[in-house]
Amino acid sequence: MSTHTDIWISGAFAVVVVDFLVYPFDTLKTRIQSPTYTKIYKNPQTGAVNRSLLFRGLYQGVGSVVLATIPASGAFFTTYEALKHTLHTTLPSQSQSNPLSIPTPKLPDPIIHSISSCTAEAISCFIITPAEVLKQNAQVLTNTNTTPKGKNAKKGALYQTILKFRHQPYKLWSGYTALLGRNLPFTGLNWPVFEYLRGKLFEGIVARRGGGRRGGGRGRDGDGMVEGGRGGDISAIERALITGVSAAMAGTVSSVVTMPVDVVKTRMMLGATATASGEGRGGEGKGSRSAWGMGKRVVREEGVRGLFKGGAIRSLWTAVSFGIYLCMYEGGRGFLQRRREGDTDSEGSG
């Protein structure tokens, strides 16, 4: 079984690589969802998109999110794996005294996965919220109307954004409820779907290789993996690839369902600088401090379609990022576990 160190290292390595790969897509999504998108990134006469401005500085603010997602990812996976394992082992699906008795599950697997992922996400979101606020405000700082002049004009976008919160640093957590409001439904739906798809794919491979029978002939280990018998062994590469494919499919479904909350979250985080620095950019911080108020404002000003801005880009990069992320996480965790077990065997034989 993987140790907490394996989980932390694998999660941190995977999140850094994925953040750099998909960050430009996240920047484009943030700019499209910005309330100033039409004003800043489109020609007022022709309505054509100013591509040179829209695609400029796609990695602005990447430093903050990379530094924060390392501890956030480690906290998420440690909590998720530990709580899932605890619930699986302390809530048996059938009587221990009589294995042949009718199963009496206390909690179905999807409920266990939802509880584990939502608890882990709440902890992770608290760590990542300040970085998300800085990141999203830095991403839209291609706007010449909000770029400071003078000695700070040549500083990076992230530095300029940090300066806006120097008098009210607590505003960096102003988007926590919105981030939690998006991520809890996302993870609550995403992880059960992911675990279900991954389990079915594992079962299919094991069954085709004659390594297990459907029904009573299969079991699960502490990580929810299907245990195959002889001929049903699944290699580490296959395990990682199946995990990646399942994650990509689950991520696409979850991103579509939670799209309106993502727009609200983006607007609230972009409005954080207005209230922290007193700029009042577009009145963004007035009358819409709650997630519900911001949602009503978006619908009132842009219609229901406004709640789905950037949906195609988000679905694409969520599928790619979540698929690569969990594929690398699973592969890295398995590699570290095998290397540790190999070292232990060598010491024992010596």
Side-chain angles (χ1 to χ4, degrees):
M1 185 175 178
S2 299
T3 65
H4 289 309
T5 302
D6 293 344
I7 293 171
W8 271 85
I9 294 176
S10 302
F13 177 74
V15 78
V16 170
V17 173
V18 171
D19 275 343
F20 273 104
L21 286 176
V22 302
Y23 194 84
F25 296 100
D26 184 53
T27 300
L28 289 174
K29 184 214 68 166
T30 300
R31 291 175 180 177
I32 291 173
Q33 291 179 348
S34 168
T36 58
Y37 172 71
T38 302
K39 177 182 177 182
I40 302 303
Y41 299 103
K42 285 190 174 183
N43 187 304
Q45 281 77 35
T46 64
V49 176
N50 186 341
R51 297 182 182 276
S52 62
L53 186 59
L54 181 64
F55 289 93
R56 182 190 305 167
L58 292 179
Y59 277 94
Q60 289 180 179
V62 69
S64 65
V65 73
V66 167
L67 290 177
T69 49
I70 292 176
S73 173
F76 176 88
F77 277 113
T78 301
T79 305
Y80 177 72
E81 298 287 0
L83 186 54
K84 183 178 70 170
H85 178 73
T86 300
L87 293 176
H88 271 301
T89 53
T90 59
L91 299 175
S93 59
Q94 63 181 17
S95 173
Q96 297 293 333
S97 60
N98 185 9
L100 299 179
S101 64
I102 298 175
T104 55
K106 294 183 179 180
L107 281 178
D109 280 354
I111 301 299
I112 290 178
H113 297 150
S114 290
I115 292 174
S116 303
S117 60
C118 288
T119 303
E121 191 62 38
I123 297 173
S124 176
C125 282
F126 186 80
I127 299 173
I128 201 69
T129 294
E132 278 287 313
V133 172
L134 291 174
K135 177 198 77 174
Q136 293 205 298
N137 282 279
Q139 285 174 329
V140 298
L141 209 58
T142 52
N143 180 1
T144 55
N145 294 332
T146 61
T147 302
K149 297 180 180 180
K151 63 179 182 180
N152 293 325
K154 295 183 179 180
K155 300 291 184 179
L158 181 59
Y159 177 81
Q160 295 173 21
T161 303
I162 292 174
L163 287 180
K164 295 181 179 182
F165 290 91
R166 64 187 184 277
H167 298 304
Q168 294 180 302
Y170 63 90
K171 290 291 183 180
L172 289 171
W173 275 272
S174 61
Y176 175 71
T177 56
L179 183 63
L180 203 62
R182 182 200 68 177
N183 285 10
L184 284 186
F186 181 87
T187 56
L189 172 64
N190 187 59
W191 285 87
V193 172
F194 159 69
E195 296 279 9
Y196 173 81
L197 292 174
R198 182 174 66 167
K200 287 297 181 182
L201 289 174
F202 278 131
E203 286 180 26
I205 291 178
V206 170
R208 281 198 301 272
R209 294 177 180 176
R213 296 172 301 164
R214 292 190 179 276
R218 65 181 178 88
R220 291 184 180 275
D221 63 17
D223 295 325
M225 300 293 191
V226 175
E227 296 176 328
R230 242 173 153 179
D233 294 333
I234 298 175
S235 69
I237 295 178
E238 288 175 323
R239 216 177 256 266
L241 290 176
I242 290 172
T243 297
V245 171
S246 303
M249 295 170 64
T252 301
V253 174
S254 303
S255 65
V256 172
V257 174
T258 58
M259 192 62 224
V261 192
D262 182 66
V263 173
V264 171
K265 186 269 299 183
T266 298
R267 295 296 181 87
M268 291 187 71
M269 288 188 168
L270 292 180
T273 43
T275 56
S277 61
E279 295 174 358
R281 184 174 61 209
E284 193 64 23
K286 300 177 181 179
S288 53
R289 294 183 180 180
S290 69
W292 180 253
M294 180 62 76
K296 290 195 296 184
R297 175 175 177 170
V298 172
V299 172
R300 183 175 65 250
E301 295 179 355
E302 304 173 39
V304 176
R305 292 181 61 183
L307 293 174
F308 290 88
K309 277 188 171 182
I313 293 178
R314 180 171 181 252
S315 296
L316 174 63
W317 75 257
T318 299
V320 173
S321 63
F322 198 57
I324 296 176
Y325 181 35
L326 287 190
C327 179
M328 294 183 63
Y329 165 73
E330 184 65 37
R333 191 180 65 162
F335 171 77
L336 293 174
Q337 180 179 347
R338 289 192 306 275
R339 190 179 68 171
R340 188 182 65 256
E341 292 173 350
D343 292 341
T344 303
D345 293 340
S346 299
E347 292 174 3
S349 61

